[in-house]
Structure formats: C-alpha cells, structure tokens
Amino acid sequence: MKWETVIGLEVHAQLNTRSKIFSGASTAFGAPPNTHASAVDIALPGTLPVLNRAAVEKAIRFGLSVGSRVNSRSIFARKNYFYPDLPKGYQISQYETPVVQGGSVTIVVGDAEKTVRLTRAHLEEDAGKSLHEDFHGETGIDLNRAGTPLLEIVSEPDMRSAAEAVAYAKALHGLVRWIDICDGNMQEGSFRCDANVSVRPAGSDKLGTRCEIKNLNSFRFLERAIDFEVRRQIELIEDGGSVLQETRLYDPDRDETRPMRSKEDAHDYRYFPDPDLLPLEVSEPWLAEIQADLPELPQTKRERFVSVYGLRAYDAVVLTTSPEISAYFETAADGAPGPVAKLCANWITGTLSARLNEEGIDIIDSRVGPRQLRGLVERIADGTISNKIARDVFDAIWSGEAQGEQAADAIIRARGLTQISDSGALEKIVDEVIAANAQQVEDYRGGKEKAVNSLVGQVMKATRGKANPQQVNEILRRKVIARG
Amino acid sequence: MHDATLKTLSDALAARKLSSVEATELFLGRIRTLNGRYNCFITVDEDRSLAQAKEADAARAAGRAEPLTGIPIAQKDIFCAKGWLTTCASKMLSNFVSPYDAHVVERFNRAGAVIIGKTNMDEFAMGSSNETSWYGPVRNPWDTDRVPGGSSGGSAAALAARLVPAATGTDTGGSIRQPCALTGTCGLKPTYGLVSRYGMIAFASSLDQGGPMARTAEDLALMLNTMVGFDLRDSTSLDRPVEDYMSDLQQSVRGLRIGLPREFFAEGLQPDVAKVVEAAVAQYKALGCKITEVALPNMGLSVPVYYVLAPAEASSNLARFDGVRYGYRTPQYRDLNEMYEKTRAEGFGAEVKRRILIGTYVLSHGYYDAYYIRAQKVRRLIAEDFARAFEKCDVIMGPTSPTTAFKLGEKAADPLQMYLSDIYTIAVNLAGLPGMSIPCGFDTQGLPVGLQIIGNYFREAQMLNVAHQYQLATDWHSRVPPHI
C-alpha cells in the first residue's frame, strides 16, 4: 500500500526581549544559576505578573508578517501542573484566545512552492531548568530561564514529507530572525520544534493517529526523527498493529523516537483565565505603529528580486534566507538590474557562499564587501576579465591585496590582468600558434572539431589567460578556414 | 490612652504630647499582657517596632511628619513585610521570612507608621471564624468562648481589645467586614483594584482586596489615604486620580437615598440582629436620609458562585507552595511525588485542603463549563443586580453578618453553616464593589452587631461620610468589651 505522511509543527520561538515576559529580570543566556530570577520568577508569595509589552509587540510583528489575524482582545490562561522548575505550579500561556490566529507561510521545496497554513501563535512563559548532574543524586533548579517569553507557533497538518517540514521550519527560522523577534539560536534552545506526525493510506482524507515528537533542536534531527517515525508507524500498521497517540522523544544518539507518555497519562491542565492579568487589548493605532515598523518581508523581497532584478526564483529564495544576505545582494546589485545583478546573484550564491562556508564566517564579516564584488562583477560584464580571472581577483581581494570599492580594478591593473581584446595583438598571437602547431591545424581541417580546443588552449597559455576565449575561438576558425 | 482612636493619637503625636516610642511601648505592653488571652498576634518583634518608632520620632523632629507618622499599626499576616515572618497562619509558611514589602506595607512604612506586629488569621484567609489558623484560634474580646470572625480575626480582635489603634485586613468574601461586625469594630473593603495586591498573599485573585480596619470611620479614611494608590506591579491596580478620603466626612447626609435589599432581611437572619440593623436605619432616617427598598434577585446565588470561583483560583494560587523553593518541606521522602504529597498534606490545614480539592474539581476537564463558566455568568448577573439597585439609591445597607459571634467550635464541623456566615458580604466581592461594616448596637446577649454599607464603585469617600455622620450621632463604635 502507498502511504501518505501528514505533519504539523509546533515551534517555540524565544522572543528576544531584554526582560522576561512577566517580570523585569534579564533574559540573557548563560548567567550563573538563579542570578536572573526575581521575586516574581521565584514565585514568592504575594508576587504578581506584569505583562511585558515588548513581548506582545514581537508576537504581533510575527502575526503581521504571516498574514494572521491579530486579535484585538486575547486572554492569558493558567496551565496548571506540578514540576520543580515551574515555580508557580502553573505556566501562564494563552489557551482559548491567542493573540495571533491564522496566517500562512510559503515554502519552496525543490522548484515547487507550497503554502503551509498556521493555526495560531500564542504568548507564554518558559519554565526553568532542572539540573541533574553535580548534585549527588539530588536535583538543582535554575530559574534563570523561567519567565522567558516564548511565541508558540502552531501549524496546520499541511506538510507531507520530512523535507517539507524542514523547509517550513527553516522558513519560520529565517522569518523570526528577519523580523528581529528571535535570535534563532537552536543550540541555546531559542528555536525549538515539536512535530506531530501521522500516516494514512494515500488518497484517504481521514487523518491517522498522530504522535508528537519532542526535543528536535536541529533541522537535521527534525528530518531524521520524522523519517524514523514515519517508518515506524508504517511498519506498525503493515504488521497489523495500530499507532498509539502518545508523546515521543527523539534520541539523536540512537536516531530513534521513544515513547515519553501516552494519551492516558496526559495531564489535565485545568486551564482557566489568569485573574492576575487583564485581557490583552491590541488597539488599531498600536497595530498600525507595529506594521509601519516592519521591514520588507522575505516573500515581498523575493518577488521584487525576480521582477526588478530579473533573478531566477531559486536564486531569489537563496538571497532572502536572511536579512544579511539580501542586504549584501541589494548593496552589490544597487541600481543595476539585468546582467550585472544576475552576475552578483551568481557570485553571492556560488563563490562567495562557498568561501564563507569554508572559513566559517558570516556574510556581514565577508572579506569581500558587496561594493567590491560589484566592482569585480562589472569588469566581467564589460569583458575586461574572464570569469576565471575574476576568481583570482576575488581571492586577491579576499586576502587583502587591495582595499576599497575599486579593489578589483586596482588588482587587475597591478597584475596586468586586462583581457586582451585588441584584435590586432590577438591575431598576431593566433598566427604564431597556427604556425607552431601544424598537426592540430591539419586535424581540424580534417574535421576533428576537438582540435580547435587545443589551439585555443595554446593561445590562452600564451596570453596567460588574458585573452577572451570566445574571441580567440572566432579568430582561429576564421584564420584556419581562410588558410584552407 | 490605649482607647484613643488613630486620629486622637495622630493629633497627640503632632502636638508632641506623645512620642511614637511611647505609643509603641504602650501597645507593645498591652500585647505582652493580653495577647495570651486573645491570640491576636502571630509575630511580635518589639525591637523592630521600636526601631521604627525611633525613626518616626526622628522624622517628626526633622519636620518630616505625616498624619500616620509614628502610629502603631498591626499588619495582617497575609501581607509580606521585609524581615518579618510572614506565615498566612499556615504551617506551610511557618518559616517564611519575607525578603520584600507588600505595596500596602511599603506605603505605611513610607508614611512613617510603625508595624506593631503581624496578626493572626484564618489559614490563607480561608475561614470565617479564625479557627483554621495553624497558630490556634483567636478569641473574641466580647466573649472569649466565641470566635472573632474571620479571616481578619486577629486584626479585629486586637482592635476590640485595644491592643492596637489600627490594623490592616483583607477581604475576599467578607474577611474584613464580618470580623469587624463580630467584634464591634470598623472595616472597609475598597473597590476591587484600588489597593494593590502586590505582596498580599493571594487566596482568590479576582476577589481579594486589602483594606483598613480601625475603630472609627474617620480612622479608616486616614488609613485609606495611605493604602490607596496605583501600583505598576499589580496589573489589576487602577490608575486613578488621588482622592482625599477625609474630605467628605463632615458633609450632611440629608437627602441621601439608602437602599434596603429585601434579600438581606430574609430567612436565616438572627431576629435581634434584624432589629438592631432596623434601628440603625431608623437613625439614618432621623438624619434626613430617604429609605427605599431595592432588589438583588440573584443574591441567593452568591454563596454557591463564590464557592466555585474562590476555590478554583485558590487551587491554582496555592500550587506554588510545593516545598521546592521556600516554606515547609516534609522531612522525609523517597521521590519527587512523595515530597509534593507529604509536604502539602502536612503543610496545609483541613479547610485549605478542602478548598484546593473543590477548586481542582471545578476546573477539571468535563466540569469546567458546568461550574467555572457558569459561575462566571452568574457573577455578572449579580453585578448587574447591584447596578440596577444603584439607579435607585446612593448606598445599600443591611446586616454585615446574619448572626453575632458564635461559639468556638460551633460551626467548625459544618462548612456549609460556616460559609453562610458570609451570605451578605460575598456578593459585594463578586461585584467588585466597596463595602464596609460599622458597629450599630448589640444583640440580646450583649454581642456587637455590624451594619453593612455598600457603595457604588469608587464611592468610598461617600461611604465614609455616611458612616462618620452616624458615628457623630451614636456611640456604638466607642463601646469597650468588658474586662478591657
């Protein structure tokens, strides 16, 4: 039987506010345990939460970026359960009425575009951490993280493969950084995914029983966990069993998912509106203010890159994966649509990206700046240098051989790399090559097309690469035929 | 001097006829000799109080004195006070020394008042007799075999026994008014949101409100001037223009429309209490007030509604008492669950456990709509009843409590009987309205009877005026219990 995979994701994005969602304590990562825990975070008797408006603004920024409805009135609720790192004995979250509802994210898998619908995004506070090591059988509690603002982004079950799930997670990851609401640091847990996975016979419109997989803190784990889980579920059903609704944990060391708790053990969280907090009201002027402050979104930028600069859709996607790369491109291609822009795009997604990867540096720290790249690309476009020579010039700028916006020209001049486009000089060299390679000339005349390549190579060698290969080719053919 | 009102003491201090140290020593001395009889205080710290008194005298000498500077005031042990044991009368917090001041405490400190001690109360303010305190019951100075009411029974009894000139209380369903009625003292529960709840250990957040307790309306006004004020740390605190609650005291009440709800004079009301309250109303008539009958048709539902909503909130509010970070922890446990279970089983008293269980039940999956949601709807109906009544009158009057002080142990075994003790006060909390109780006579056994005055939202100044004019015409408020 053919099976269809159905995936929905819940993403917890830590909002990059300076202070916590309900207290004034700092959200900075990595401080000594419990030094960023205020009376409110420790849940001392008598303390009360006060909502951080910056966290709300970030949630709204997200909602506006994905075409959601931002509710003019939303409610904070208490999710009640006992755990040592949950100081109040309840988590303040949003339940029935979240701040953001609906919306969608466009993903590109291969060449196909797809829309993933969002169910909701709601604000909540993070818990602390239980530390089991170094306490000789006891457990330590660090409440620095308690009260850190989270935006939980819930998708509809619209994804049909691990690849789509990863593309969606990456698109969200790019977006939250793009609109500056989350630093996206997955190692520090700033961006965490849970995946709801089920399978069903292809063509069926009834959803299968789903499992929720937790602890997916990298895109690779997300992909592997889903792949494993899909195989597990299909095998289970094909062997006559049935999938149990449960929460499973992904173990990256064994590359498998394991049951954590079943539906039967599920908590009754006894949600109810938090009487310590007023309903969250979002006024029209506030919404407009936040809207006005939003940067151009990746989707809009992508469309503009295609229509204004004439880029290919794929290049436009790559160039809008982060605000930094798109800013680099726009600076490089500024005011130059057409061939120069396309060359810029090719160089950024090709040579530059490869080099940045190799050396492990971010594009903002690139040792070839966008205006330097533009200077280089223009010399390719006007035929001064070939692509091959351009790579040498790129390396030279990278290693600091010349500075400033005119670095490419300086290097071309200093190294004498200008392409020989004076046809007189070129013809002279071609004549010499023809005279010295009678055999190849004969072969070519005899119909061996390949022989011309060897002759072109000889000319390029003689000019140390500075000849325009196309021009050389033309001259050669003309002269050999003329001689015949 | 121990019989002096707060106002008299304030004037004496201002006239330098008395120092704060002298006043503080006077009341500390009375507490030393008489507290054993009434058990009004959980904590007395003479050194700490005297240090504050010295500071107050120094401030006065430096010309920085306010009306409350140097006045000894007892704090209900529900208010966190920095450096003071703050127990909420529970074993659970029997070792909790607060590292911070409640907003109310902060304001009294800033006004130069002296904390004379922390008063006994029902455990976590759950009770109407002060019998649920882990520190033992408080006894009523009018008859030590009888309860002082609750939950602010320690503050009320201390006032009646002239151990303090003023005290704070909190009122969730009548916890200021009912003990005032049962001890012949005065207390006011302000409009919800007027007094910050920050640092006031939460019982039921949407109902809890701190307020002043004293022996005259004028003293209440003086205290209210200090207690009321916007606090950013409480999201339900109201940001309103500052009012002087003393300003309207002297106005005539001629023409004032007094509404009498027939539901307040129905079955269950002790006949001699009814008679005394009717006499008080007649007194108002003699002062030129107009008496009119009003209806509160949903009043009868207030007790059942309250005993859904208050326990629901309490079950969540008290979840933080888990033995993890502060307070009581069971000495022996094998694992986390046992630590939770034994800590909470040993740390909470029977009434607190009963309410946590009720609250957990009504919030549970499948019961939430039938109990919590329904109770919220009825709560709105009750508030609407009051709104309609206030179209016909300026203040509402009636008995504060259906009976006078009952015997210790009389209702302890029957929670329903106990809960009915607050039948006239609870609706006021549900509606968020201000309510007060002043002494208006005695029953046939010589036990004090309280007159309840309910005002419209933010009409505290008017209510205090109404009470003050009555106290100018009568002397019930200055009657002293026998043996005092």
Side-chain angles (χ1 to χ4, degrees):
Chain A
M1 192 186 300
K2 254 188 85 64
W3 295 92
E4 182 179 50
T5 305
V6 176
I7 305 161
L9 289 192
E10 286 170 24
V11 169
H12 286 89
Q14 183 182 312
L15 299 175
N16 56 356
T17 54
R18 274 196 302 274
S19 56
K20 294 186 178 179
I21 185 167
F22 298 118
S23 86
S26 163
T27 52
F29 182 82
N34 298 312
T35 54
H36 289 169
S38 69
V40 174
D41 304 321
I42 305 170
L44 284 185
T47 55
L48 298 168
V50 177
L51 180 60
N52 179 349
R53 274 174 74 90
V56 179
E57 272 184 23
K58 305 243 173 202
I60 295 172
R61 276 172 84 85
F62 176 78
L64 293 175
S65 303
V66 291
S68 307
R69 183 172 83 238
V70 175
N71 284 322
S72 58
R73 187 183 156 92
S74 63
I75 308 285
F76 285 98
R78 294 184 182 179
K79 179 181 181 179
N80 294 285
Y81 65 97
F82 284 99
Y83 205 70
D85 60 23
L86 188 73
K88 294 187 292 294
Y90 58 84
Q91 178 196 30
I92 305 177
S93 181
Q94 295 193 300
Y95 186 55
E96 279 174 350
T97 335
V99 60
V100 166
Q101 264 177 306
S104 64
V105 170
T106 304
I107 59 171
V108 179
V109 182
D111 282 332
E113 268 204 2
K114 176 170 181 160
T115 298
V116 176
R117 292 167 300 153
L118 299 181
T119 314
R120 59 188 276 159
H122 67 253
L123 284 162
E124 62 183 28
E125 58 179 340
D126 208 345
K129 269 182 189 161
S130 296
L131 309 167
H132 301 290
E133 289 149 30
D134 309 326
F135 290 94
H136 314 288
E138 298 198 302
T139 299
I141 306 290
D142 177 7
L143 295 177
N144 282 352
R145 202 182 64 184
T148 299
L150 299 177
L151 187 67
E152 180 173 333
I153 304 160
V154 183
S155 84
E156 291 288 307
D158 281 355
M159 288 151 280
R160 294 291 173 268
S161 67
E164 286 187 6
V166 169
Y168 165 76
K170 282 186 172 170
L172 267 193
H173 186 253
L175 178 66
V176 296
R177 284 181 307 150
W178 190 284
I179 58 175
D180 189 28
I181 65 167
C182 171
D183 68 17
N185 191 323
M186 295 178 86
Q187 283 83 46
E188 290 175 7
S190 300
F191 189 89
R192 318 196 278 266
C193 303
D194 300 335
N196 282 300
V197 179
S198 64
V199 297
R200 63 182 174 192
S204 163
D205 54 6
K206 212 172 134 255
L207 288 171
T209 304
R210 69 170 195 271
C211 288
E212 185 182 4
I213 316 170
K214 296 223 172 253
N215 192 32
L216 303 169
N217 56 9
S218 81
F219 297 126
R220 202 164 57 97
F221 293 167
L222 173 65
E223 185 161 27
R224 292 174 132 199
I226 292 173
D227 282 339
F228 173 88
E229 184 60 20
V230 167
R231 274 198 311 277
R232 187 187 73 86
Q233 291 186 12
I234 292 174
E235 276 169 27
L236 198 61
I237 300 170
E238 288 185 340
D239 291 348
S242 56
V243 176
L244 242 86
Q245 187 176 334
E246 60 188 2
T247 304
R248 299 177 70 88
L249 191 74
Y250 177 67
D251 179 348
D253 296 330
R254 297 184 174 191
D255 191 21
E256 63 177 27
T257 66
R258 279 201 305 272
M260 246 174 96
R261 56 171 184 263
S262 75
K263 192 188 175 189
E264 283 70 41
D265 318 324
H267 286 106
D268 179 356
Y269 290 118
R270 307 190 310 280
Y271 282 101
F272 76 105
D274 191 333
D276 287 333
L277 291 161
L278 303 176
L280 167 57
E281 311 261 358
V282 180
S283 68
E284 283 299 325
W286 193 22
L287 211 55
E289 209 177 286
I290 297 168
Q291 176 81 65
D293 188 49
L294 269 181
E296 186 183 18
L297 297 172
Q299 181 67 25
T300 322
K301 218 173 248 281
R302 204 172 297 154
E303 286 157 14
R304 192 163 54 82
F305 283 3
V306 171
S307 65
V308 174
Y309 292 102
L311 301 191
R312 287 187 307 148
Y314 176 78
D315 286 338
V317 169
V318 176
L319 290 175
T320 50
T321 45
S322 77
E324 292 79 19
I325 193 169
S326 74
Y328 189 103
F329 168 73
E330 289 201 88
T331 310
D334 182 33
V340 169
K342 280 189 197 168
L343 274 169
C344 286
N346 288 343
W347 274 78
I348 294 167
T349 58
T351 309
L352 177 70
S353 291
R355 176 59 67 92
L356 291 171
N357 264 338
E358 230 168 75
E359 309 216 358
I361 44 183
D362 290 334
I363 195 160
I364 355 176
D365 303 321
S366 170
R367 298 174 66 177
V368 174
R371 287 183 210 285
Q372 291 177 320
L373 185 76
R374 166 70 169 271
L376 175 67
V377 155
E378 276 181 348
R379 295 294 84 85
I380 304 170
D382 66 14
T384 308
I385 53 173
S386 66
N387 249 311
K388 191 169 170 294
I389 294 285
R391 236 163 275 146
D392 296 337
V393 177
F394 179 89
D395 287 344
I397 304 175
W398 189 276
S399 57
E401 205 172 297
Q403 274 78 37
E405 289 183 19
Q406 311 301 323
D409 285 342
I411 289 162
I412 291 166
R413 226 176 10 256
R415 291 195 180 185
L417 296 175
T418 307
Q419 206 157 243
I420 302 170
S421 41
D422 169 0
S423 56
L426 217 48
E427 284 191 28
K428 197 167 156 262
I429 297 166
V430 170
D431 287 339
E432 285 165 21
V433 168
I434 287 173
N437 295 279
Q439 185 59 48
Q440 277 89 339
V441 174
E442 274 314 303
D443 289 349
Y444 179 58
R445 279 209 184 115
K448 272 197 181 169
E449 266 295 316
K450 277 187 183 166
V452 81
N453 293 341
S454 156
L455 294 169
V456 171
Q458 296 284 341
V459 178
M460 294 308 287
K461 199 175 162 192
T463 59
R464 284 184 294 137
K466 289 187 286 182
N468 181 334
Q470 215 141 6
Q471 209 180 347
V472 173
N473 212 310
E474 261 168 45
I475 300 170
L476 258 169
R477 283 168 198 273
R478 176 160 45 80
K479 286 196 183 271
V480 172
I481 291 160
R483 280 181 153 217
Chain B
M1 201 60 182
H2 62 256
D3 194 30
T5 64
L6 189 158
K7 180 69 170 62
T8 311
L9 283 172
S10 176
D11 292 345
L13 285 161
R16 314 275 172 115
K17 288 182 191 152
L18 179 75
S19 73
S20 177
V21 169
E22 285 164 346
T24 303
E25 274 173 344
L26 169 78
F27 289 107
L28 283 174
R30 286 188 63 77
I31 294 168
R32 219 178 294 133
T33 40
L34 294 171
N35 191 46
R37 199 190 295 172
Y38 308 116
N39 196 26
C40 296
F41 285 86
I42 291 174
T43 306
V44 177
D45 184 338
E46 299 199 354
D47 293 343
R48 204 174 268 275
S49 301
L50 285 167
Q52 258 190 315
K54 280 185 194 125
E55 272 179 48
D57 284 334
R60 187 174 300 280
R64 287 182 283 106
E66 295 174 38
L68 294 188
T69 301
I71 302 277
I73 292 177
Q75 292 287 352
K76 184 178 181 180
D77 209 23
I78 199 167
F79 287 103
C80 287
K82 193 172 176 177
W84 287 81
L85 190 65
T86 299
T87 69
C88 237
S90 180
K91 182 181 178 184
M92 189 58 94
L93 287 175
S94 52
N95 61 0
F96 178 69
V97 176
S98 176
Y100 79 104
D101 281 328
H103 185 251
V104 162
V105 171
E106 203 176 85
R107 288 189 72 106
F108 276 121
N109 283 344
R110 216 176 290 150
V114 172
I115 301 177
I116 196 88
K118 305 289 297 283
T119 55
N120 204 346
M121 54 185 280
D122 279 296
E123 184 181 6
F124 284 107
M126 298 177 189
S128 309
S129 67
N130 226 300
E131 292 167 291
T132 70
S133 169
W134 192 63
Y135 294 88
V138 175
R139 289 170 184 272
N140 193 325
W142 292 90
D143 176 351
T144 51
D145 288 338
R146 293 179 186 270
V147 304
S151 66
S152 310
S155 288
L159 285 164
R162 274 52 178 174
L163 304 186
V164 289
T168 57
T170 61
D171 191 316
T172 305
S175 279
I176 287 177
R177 290 160 289 160
Q178 185 257 17
C180 282
L182 270 50
T183 57
T185 55
C186 302
L188 187 147
K189 179 208 95 76
T191 304
Y192 183 81
L194 224 45
V195 171
S196 167
R197 292 183 297 115
Y198 188 78
M200 197 177 104
I201 299 174
F203 158 18
S205 314
S206 74
L207 301 160
D208 294 344
Q209 188 63 196
M213 296 169 73
R215 285 199 305 275
T216 67
E218 186 179 37
D219 288 359
L220 295 179
L222 261 173
M223 291 176 76
L224 207 55
N225 275 350
T226 292
M227 293 177 82
V228 170
F230 177 60
D231 181 12
L232 272 170
R233 297 167 300 184
D234 173 2
S235 306
T236 61
S237 169
L238 297 164
D239 193 2
R240 306 185 74 249
V242 175
E243 261 185 84
D244 177 6
Y245 294 101
M246 300 286 282
S247 63
D248 291 352
L249 290 181
Q250 308 307 333
Q251 279 181 27
S252 160
V253 290
R254 188 161 295 281
L256 181 87
R257 296 172 304 161
I258 297 172
L260 298 183
R262 60 182 95 87
E263 294 80 3
F264 275 35
F265 296 89
E267 204 195 320
L269 178 61
Q270 195 178 303
D272 46 353
V273 170
K275 222 183 255 173
V276 169
V277 171
E278 277 155 14
V281 172
Q283 177 70 52
Y284 273 107
K285 210 171 172 181
L287 290 171
C289 299
K290 292 190 190 119
I291 314 298
T292 160
E293 196 174 280
V294 293
L296 299 171
N298 293 293
M299 248 277 304
L301 295 171
S302 60
V303 171
V305 163
Y306 178 85
Y307 279 99
V308 169
L309 297 180
E313 294 182 17
S315 71
S316 176
N317 282 335
L318 270 60
R320 67 185 59 196
F321 305 112
D322 57 5
V324 174
R325 298 167 313 285
Y326 50 77
Y328 176 77
R329 183 193 292 182
T330 189
Q332 293 205 325
Y333 47 90
R334 279 166 303 191
D335 56 25
L336 179 65
N337 276 335
E338 197 182 74
M339 194 280 279
Y340 280 148
E341 284 166 18
K342 287 179 72 181
T343 295
R344 289 169 67 82
E346 294 160 15
F348 290 137
E351 183 60 27
V352 172
K353 282 181 209 163
R354 183 181 356 260
R355 298 201 194 187
I356 290 175
L357 287 173
I358 294 171
T360 304
Y361 178 79
V362 301
L363 289 177
S364 297
H365 188 72
Y367 297 97
Y368 178 74
D369 288 352
Y371 289 106
Y372 185 86
I373 295 289
R374 233 162 138 217
Q376 287 289 23
K377 285 181 183 158
V378 179
R379 181 180 187 171
R380 202 168 317 132
L381 295 179
I382 290 168
E384 285 166 10
D385 281 357
F386 277 109
R388 263 190 298 277
F390 279 118
E391 287 168 8
K392 290 172 65 182
C393 64
D394 303 306
V395 295
I396 291 170
M397 284 186 190
T400 305
S401 169
T403 68
T404 50
F406 44 93
K407 291 242 164 87
L408 277 153
E410 190 182 325
K411 297 183 179 178
D414 187 349
L416 283 184
Q417 274 308 306
M418 187 71 88
Y419 295 170
L420 287 173
S421 191
D422 294 324
I423 189 164
Y424 302 133
T425 48
I426 278 176
V428 174
N429 298 77
L430 290 170
L433 288 165
M436 68 188 294
S437 181
I438 55 171
C440 65
F442 294 88
D443 72 356
T444 49
Q445 297 180 86
L447 295 167
V449 173
L451 172 72
Q452 186 174 205
I453 304 170
I454 302 166
N456 212 336
Y457 299 106
F458 309 117
R459 302 309 302 270
E460 284 80 1
Q462 182 185 42
M463 293 158 68
L464 288 161
N465 164 237
V466 169
H468 182 66
Q469 290 304 309
Y470 179 80
Q471 293 184 333
L472 288 179
T474 61
D475 69 346
W476 304 113
H477 59 285
S478 45
R479 302 288 180 91
V480 182
H483 319 297
I484 295 292

